[in-house]
Amino acid sequence: MKPADIAEFYRRLADRLPEPQTELDYVNDYTLLVAVVLSAQATDAGVNAATRDLFAAVTTPEQMLALGEEGLKRHIRTIGLFNTKAKNVIALSRALIEEHGGRVPADFEALRSLPGVGRKTANVVMNSAFGAETFAVDTHVFRVANRTGLAPGKKPEQVEARLDAVTPPPYRRHAHHWLILHGRYVCKARKPECWRCVVRDLCRYQPKTPPPAESGE
Ligand code: SF4
């Protein structure tokens, strides 16, 4: 995609939602980190349903250790991979207390070194908690970046680097949110809804999907 088209692509997504937010519920940096760790291979709605009661009682690493792994599992057993995630949340809470004074570090590499925290999670926390211009590549961002030709790449790290290289300044802070939401609600995995897409003339995906009536659905 040409630089002018990339700017126009973001301008249109931004126009629809100037201040996008994560759809995960959280009350502080720590609960954001926990929610993002829990969200791997799970829906935000499913994580929110599980954390509603959890975050009413637990908002610090110290409180999480007091709750303990079995107590945490009781809250999150509706979420996929909850056994592993419970272990990781307890371990990362301990690491925050022992290595970071109980606070979530505003540092990508420090976040990455925490149990259960990968590039995507560290990027989400840096962006949403600390305002960093990071590009978290989840399944939606990966798909939209490749389909449209905005930032093609075979691996998430390649797409992340490409987004970093091509995304112009006014849009860098919120780019990944706009791409997630576009992928979740319009450029869907199984069948993109091209007929109602605001960037269809800029996107290289072919053939564009027609409205359901025209496709016989
Ligand atoms: S035109 Fe279709 S494939 Fe392209 S971004 Fe829009 S919904 Fe996705």
Side-chain angles (χ1 to χ4, degrees), residues 1 9 13 143-144 147-149 182-183 185-188 191-209:
M1 218 184 268
F9 183 101
L13 295 186
R143 183 176 68 255
V144 172
R147 260 187 193 160
T148 56
H182 190 62
Y185 297 111
V186 181
C187 194
K188 298 175 181 175
K191 197 163 192 184
E193 299 181 358
C194 304
W195 73 89
R196 64 182 195 90
C197 175
V198 295
V199 293
R200 61 184 166 270
D201 57 315
L202 305 170
C203 163
R204 74 176 183 191
Y205 180 78
Q206 296 293 346
K208 302 285 197 273
T209 48

Side-chain angles (χ1 to χ4, degrees), residues 51-212:
T51 57
R52 196 167 299 126
D53 289 344
L54 176 65
F55 294 162
V58 174
T59 58
T60 66
E62 291 82 358
Q63 290 169 343
M64 190 66 82
L65 290 192
L67 177 67
E69 193 173 316
E70 292 308 314
L72 175 56
K73 280 182 192 174
R74 280 196 285 279
H75 282 280
I76 66 168
R77 61 175 64 254
T78 52
I79 303 176
L81 308 175
F82 73 92
N83 279 314
T84 305
K85 290 175 180 175
K87 258 189 191 47
N88 282 334
V89 168
I90 294 296
L92 79 80
S93 300
R94 188 169 291 119
L96 288 178
I97 293 168
E98 291 175 357
E99 297 162 28
H100 301 285
R103 304 177 73 88
V104 176
D107 179 274
F108 179 81
E109 290 306 330
L111 285 167
R112 279 280 282 124
S113 70
L114 294 169
V117 177
R119 285 192 75 82
K120 191 199 80 174
T121 298
N123 276 325
V124 171
V125 173
M126 288 302 296
N127 182 279
S128 292
F130 304 117
E133 294 178 345
T134 52
F135 301 85
V137 179
D138 71 350
T139 179
H140 299 298
V141 174
F142 186 79
R143 183 176 68 255
V144 172
N146 273 293
R147 260 187 193 160
T148 56
L150 174 68
K154 288 192 170 64
K155 295 181 176 170
E157 300 86 74
Q158 293 169 337
V159 170
E160 182 186 331
R162 192 87 196 115
L163 285 172
D164 192 17
V166 303
T167 303
Y171 307 113
R172 296 177 65 82
R173 168 83 160 85
H174 293 312
H176 93 271
H177 278 133
W178 285 315
L179 296 173
I180 287 173
L181 295 172
H182 190 62
R184 188 174 285 163
Y185 297 111
V186 181
C187 194
K188 298 175 181 175
R190 288 182 53 198
K191 197 163 192 184
E193 299 181 358
C194 304
W195 73 89
R196 64 182 195 90
C197 175
V198 295
V199 293
R200 61 184 166 270
D201 57 315
L202 305 170
C203 163
R204 74 176 183 191
Y205 180 78
Q206 296 293 346
K208 302 285 197 273
T209 48

